[in-house]
Amino acid sequence: MSPSHRGGGLSRRHFALALPSALLASGCAAPHRGTGRPGDPIVLTLLSHYASGELKEALRGPVDEWNATHDRVKVETTAVEFSDLLTTFMVRQAAGQGADILHPYCLWNGQLVRAGVLRPAPPEHAAEIRRGYGEAAVGAASVGGTVYGYPTEVQTYALYYNKRLLRAAGVDGPPRTWRELEDTAYRTTRRDRYGNTLVQGFGLSTYDDSTTVGQTLALLNAAGGTFVSEDGRSTAIDSPAGRAVFGLEHRLVAEGASDPGVNVYRAFASGQVAMVVSAGWWSGSLKALMGRDYRDVGVAPVPVPRAGDRPATLCTGFMLGVNTASRHPREAWEFLRWLNTGTVTVKGVTATRMSALQVSVGSLTGRAGDMRTLLGAGGTGRDPNLRPFLDALGYAVPEPNVPGAQRAKSLLRTSIEAMWTGQQSVDQALRTIRRQVDQEVSRAW
């Protein structure tokens, strides 16, 4: 399941934040003469997963603006569903039909770099990216310290909680430490007289890779741990931090405070889950699903093991980069600079085109300044639940993107779920992950 489609068929794309639509169309209001050579255009192709609906329309706006104002270089977009995107990149590359500009999930960057698909950003673009984006976003768009593209969508993880359920259990506010998290989970769990769970204290879910693994890695990062070693050749989760996370999740399931078989996205919205760790895209979905009940939802930083520990969480994202096979890399990078650093201004609100695009479909970018400006437009800045995700841009840890990262993520999910369902102990799950993931990330690609 893609990080773009979660929640029982619900997508954040269907619940866009209330950004004035003029932000995306503003560039078309005053077209000017292009600077290229009419009659002899260069045509760049851009391949993404923005295949339908709001995503497709959101990208069309700035691309149409570029094409209307540039004569020498034109851009054509093509798209496939997210589930087919990585395979399409690889197959088209092997057939000599790769697009000039690619829009990969950053988890795949190591694999794409190893396969010779992504071109390193030229020095002036790399410097601009490092200067303009948060550290986590830059890290996600880099492999081995080399920047490969402009970050687009960025998602950070935080703790969602139901204020009404916490108050009913006598809890004054969201937990800040794991001891408080565990105590709050037990206190908010409710069962009927037959032992059936009515309310889960803490939502763990086997819904998809991004749900199962994302919440676990957010807690792992908060504990100071990492999934993959710094050199990318082995797993680092079999550590004190990893054991602490797995132990916490195992206790929550064993004590009945978590039921991984439940679709946590639906259950939380209906008041059947008190707390859950998830990404910022979910806020827009919850607001639309819950209506007036959304006032019961609060968001806080992911709890840390002990009071005084430094905050940390998970960051995932996408980026736009240039294919090594492109015949026009200079023009491709210039288009990406225009799209990702050029600004639009409407009614005093100024931000980059990509930030405006992402906010229009309910997402964030790694430009914290843009986000605070845009989310203050149209009244959306009054939602205090957005602030923890923005703040987390400053301390989030990017998802590991070593060459075998996608397969490693799937293997990690399998072991987590085996531990949750009692098929493996904490020790067995960690040993399995170490054996399988080490083999995956260390093999020659």
Side-chain angles (χ1 to χ4, degrees):
M1 177 66 68
S2 99
S4 297
H5 296 82
R6 286 169 280 188
L10 297 170
S11 167
R12 69 173 175 276
R13 309 303 187 184
H14 299 118
F15 304 106
L17 297 175
L19 183 71
S21 59
L23 275 173
L24 292 181
S26 61
C28 299
H32 61 275
R33 182 178 177 84
T35 58
R37 298 188 301 274
D40 186 24
I42 291 169
V43 179
L44 301 173
T45 54
L46 188 161
L47 175 60
S48 76
H49 61 291
Y50 287 6
S52 60
E54 289 174 333
L55 287 169
K56 183 177 181 179
E57 292 303 312
L59 182 59
R60 177 181 295 173
V63 170
D64 285 350
E65 178 191 353
W66 169 275
N67 287 335
T69 57
H70 293 75
D71 296 330
R72 192 175 70 86
V73 178
K74 303 294 183 180
V75 177
E76 292 183 353
T77 61
T78 58
V80 297
E81 294 299 327
F82 177 83
S83 58
D84 299 322
L85 188 58
L86 178 58
T87 299
T88 302
F89 287 155
M90 303 302 286
V91 170
R92 290 192 181 183
Q93 193 78 4
Q97 300 174 352
D100 296 283
I101 300 170
L102 306 177
H103 194 192
Y105 177 28
C106 289
L107 181 74
W108 307 332
N109 284 350
Q111 180 175 344
L112 293 173
V113 169
R114 183 69 63 87
V117 176
L118 287 175
R119 183 186 298 265
E124 64 275 19
H125 291 270
E128 198 160 326
I129 292 165
R130 290 193 175 98
R131 183 171 57 247
Y133 295 83
E135 184 177 350
V138 176
S142 303
V143 176
T146 299
V147 177
Y148 282 88
Y150 283 88
T152 57
E153 172 187 340
V154 171
Q155 293 293 338
T156 58
Y157 281 65
L159 178 77
Y160 287 87
Y161 63 98
N162 187 305
K163 292 181 279 189
R164 177 180 56 81
L165 294 177
L166 266 62
R167 284 196 304 268
V171 180
D172 294 332
R176 292 165 295 182
T177 66
W178 286 9
R179 177 173 291 183
E180 292 176 357
L181 173 66
E182 205 165 346
D183 178 64
T184 301
Y186 299 144
R187 291 173 65 177
T188 52
T189 298
R190 290 174 45 218
R191 299 180 180 84
D192 64 20
R193 60 178 179 168
Y194 303 106
N196 299 312
T197 300
L198 300 175
V199 175
Q200 294 182 64
F202 187 80
L204 297 173
S205 179
T206 60
Y207 185 74
D208 60 27
D209 277 2
S210 296
T211 306
T212 303
V213 175
Q215 57 196 355
T216 298
L217 292 186
L219 289 166
L220 179 66
N221 292 336
T226 59
F227 176 32
V228 178
S229 63
E230 188 174 352
D231 64 6
R233 306 298 291 177
S234 63
T235 181
I237 200 170
D238 191 1
S239 63
R243 289 178 178 276
V245 173
F246 274 43
L248 171 66
E249 294 183 349
H250 183 269
R251 289 192 302 275
L252 289 169
V253 175
E255 296 295 329
S258 297
D259 182 357
V262 172
N263 183 334
V264 72
Y265 294 106
R266 291 179 177 172
F268 184 86
S270 60
Q272 296 173 308
V273 174
M275 299 178 294
V276 63
V277 171
S278 191
W281 65 265
W282 198 25
S283 294
S285 299
L286 288 173
K287 190 178 297 185
L289 280 171
M290 298 178 70
R292 288 176 56 84
D293 289 339
Y294 181 72
R295 61 189 174 184
D296 292 332
V297 177
V299 177
V302 173
V304 292
R306 294 163 298 276
D309 285 352
R310 296 180 61 180
T313 189
L314 178 68
C315 165
T316 64
F318 288 76
M319 67 158 223
L320 281 165
V322 177
N323 197 330
T324 56
S326 174
R327 295 173 56 195
H328 308 288
R330 184 174 65 83
E331 290 81 2
W333 283 113
E334 283 308 305
F335 168 73
L336 292 184
R337 186 205 301 271
W338 176 90
L339 178 63
N340 291 280
T341 70
T343 60
V344 289
T345 302
V346 175
K347 296 180 180 179
V349 177
T350 301
T352 62
R353 290 179 176 85
M354 181 53 67
S355 290
L357 186 161
Q358 291 300 328
V359 170
S360 78
V361 294
S363 187
L364 304 175
T365 70
R367 293 181 178 272
D370 274 0
M371 292 301 98
R372 296 186 193 282
T373 298
L374 290 168
L375 295 174
T380 57
R382 290 195 293 270
D383 184 355
N385 288 338
L386 300 172
R387 179 172 295 277
F389 300 106
L390 298 180
D391 292 343
L393 290 173
Y395 60 76
V397 178
E399 195 172 23
N401 59 8
V402 295
Q406 181 62 67
R407 176 61 177 159
K409 185 175 184 178
S410 297
L411 293 169
L412 176 58
R413 175 190 177 184
T414 300
S415 291
I416 291 172
E417 293 178 359
M419 184 264 294
W420 285 352
T421 56
Q423 299 173 54
Q424 292 185 353
S425 67
V426 168
D427 285 343
Q428 289 172 328
L430 288 169
R431 284 199 300 270
T432 300
I433 293 168
R434 185 174 66 236
R435 182 181 71 254
Q436 293 180 340
V437 175
D438 280 1
Q439 182 177 3
E440 186 65 27
V441 299
S442 64
R443 70 185 179 92
W445 281 80

